[in-house]
Amino acid sequence: MNVKFCKIMSTPILSCLTHSHHTWEIIFQLSGVVTSMIGTKEYCLKPGDIVIIPPNTPHDGKSNGVYTD
């Protein structure tokens, strides 16, 4: 199994450009509200939400304020 652990981003951001990964990604929304296009569907993520993104699935994040995940 290929498992990677990433540290939590402590610096709030405004957006994340469309990108994908060769492995699964788990996102835990810590603060702020984000509109995220994952594949062909749009989602509104709020604090406490968890998203699991399959490999090679394009995704992004946009917010009117700052957010951390």
Side-chain angles (χ1 to χ4, degrees):
M1 178 177 358
N2 183 7
V3 178
K4 293 182 182 178
F5 294 93
C6 298
K7 73 175 194 168
I8 294 173
M9 297 296 293
S10 58
T11 304
I13 58 175
L14 286 169
S15 66
C16 179
L17 297 175
T18 301
H19 64 284
S20 64
H21 308 275
H22 295 290
T23 58
W24 289 85
E25 181 176 9
I26 300 172
I27 296 174
F28 177 56
Q29 192 66 30
L30 295 171
S31 69
V33 176
V34 177
T35 301
S36 185
M37 183 67 79
I38 302 172
T40 59
K41 291 182 120 183
E42 187 173 85
Y43 298 89
C44 182
L45 307 178
K46 56 190 179 307
D49 287 349
I50 297 173
V51 179
I52 300 173
I53 303 173
N56 303 311
T57 302
H59 55 284
D60 65 14
K62 296 177 184 73
S63 179
N64 288 333
V66 295
Y67 67 94
T68 53
D69 59 13

